[in-house]
């Protein structure tokens, strides 16, 4: 859902770090201006938008959110800001603590993933199989977390902020496994498999899945694995 004024989510024209932000907007039926930058027109970010935004926020980077006079950057800060705005960070201190821990754990998972995806093609081909084993450490942690907490989602029985990012990472890895002709990473993780399916069936997420932004590549053109959507 897009609008040309007011609330803005900005990032490269890929899913990347902005996917869970866009997803949260669609899930809550919040109109937003989807500002994107492409590598071919990177000057529009580096030479035009960024210098102006630096005057308002010296930390500015992609992604960023504009909400009235507010300029928010840093990925987890953007997620937590939307969580507060949409009341998705948790309804109790316990939920909020769980949500915050999981936000950081998902970011660890993402950082490991992009560490592979953006390697040179030669390094990517050498290291991809080892990565497919190492990433299961994150799957093990989240599988056990869901088992211990006995909730439908990471922090509660209703979606919270961290769930949007975890869903995105699980979804990217399903695409990654398919591209490598490997079995689903979720195959041996019943709790995570159920989480992924349950989240995907939420009406707001199904709506998001039919948007243009959900069909962006996962990563930029400089990545060895760009995560292009299936045709």
């Amino acid at each position: 859902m897009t609008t040309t004024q007011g609330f803005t989510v900005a990032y490269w024209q890929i899913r990347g770090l902005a996917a869970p932000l866009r997803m949260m907007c669609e899930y809550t039926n919040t109109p937003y201006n989807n500002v994107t930058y492409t590598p071919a027109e990177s000057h529009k970010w580096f030479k035009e938008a960024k210098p102006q935004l630096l005057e308002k926020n010296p930390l500015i980077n992609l992604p960023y959110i504009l909400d009235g006079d507010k300029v928010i950057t840093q990925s987890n800060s953007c997620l937590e800001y939307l969580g507060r705005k949409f009341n998705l960070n948790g309804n109790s201190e316990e939920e909020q603590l769980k949500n915050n821990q999981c936000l950081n754990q998902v970011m660890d998972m993402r950082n490991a993933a992009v560490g592979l995806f953006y390697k040179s093609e030669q390094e990517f081909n050498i290291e991809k199989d080892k990565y497919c084993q190492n990433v299961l450490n994150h799957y093990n942690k989240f599988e056990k977390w869901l088992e211990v907490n006995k909730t439908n989602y990471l922090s509660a029985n209703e979606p919270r902020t961290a769930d949007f990012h975890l869903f995105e990472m699980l979804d990217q890895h399903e695409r990654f496994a398919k591209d490598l002709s490997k079995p689903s990473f979720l195959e041996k993780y019943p709790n995570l498999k159920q989480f992924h399916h349950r989240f995907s069936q939420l009406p707001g997420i199904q709506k998001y899945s039919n948007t243009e932004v959900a069909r962006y590549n996962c990563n930029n053109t400089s990545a060895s694995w760009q995560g292009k959507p299936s045709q």
Side-chain angles (χ1 to χ4, degrees), residues 17 104-116 131 169:
L17 289 162
N104 286 288
Q105 185 63 45
V106 180
M107 189 59 74
D108 286 349
M109 182 180 183
R110 173 178 286 281
N111 288 339
V114 298
L116 173 73
Y131 171 84
M169 291 312 299

Side-chain angles (χ1 to χ4, degrees), residues 68-86:
D69 293 333
K70 300 183 183 73
V71 180
I72 305 100
T73 194
Q74 294 295 332
S75 301
N76 273 349
S77 293
C78 290
L79 284 164
E80 290 182 283
Y81 177 78
L82 291 191
R84 288 192 298 274
K85 184 179 180 71
F86 302 148

Side-chain angles (χ1 to χ4, degrees), residues 176-195:
F176 182 55
K178 185 177 180 180
D179 286 352
L180 295 185
S181 299
K182 290 182 177 291
S184 165
F185 287 101
L186 295 169
E187 188 175 30
K188 297 181 180 179
Y189 296 94
N191 292 325
L192 278 175
K193 186 174 183 178
Q194 190 174 32
F195 166 94

Side-chain angles (χ1 to χ4, degrees), residues 113-142:
V114 298
L116 173 73
F117 299 157
Y118 282 86
K119 284 186 180 297
S120 68
E121 186 174 353
Q122 181 180 12
E123 290 176 312
F124 173 83
N125 288 327
I126 291 171
E127 297 185 26
K128 62 186 179 182
D129 288 334
K130 181 180 179 181
Y131 171 84
C132 288
Q133 292 300 314
N134 290 342
V135 74
L136 298 182
N137 292 328
H138 295 285
Y139 280 70
N140 288 330
K141 289 180 180 182
F142 284 119

Side-chain angles (χ1 to χ4, degrees), residues 85-99:
K85 184 179 180 71
F86 302 148
N87 194 29
L88 289 171
N89 281 345
N91 293 336
S92 67
E93 183 181 19
E94 182 181 9
E95 284 187 14
Q96 291 165 9
L97 285 169
K98 289 178 179 179
N99 182 65

Side-chain angles (χ1 to χ4, degrees), residues 27-42:
Y27 175 78
T28 57
N29 290 310
T30 302
Y32 70 104
N33 188 26
N34 179 47
V35 170
T36 60
Y37 304 95
T38 66
E41 298 179 324
S42 60

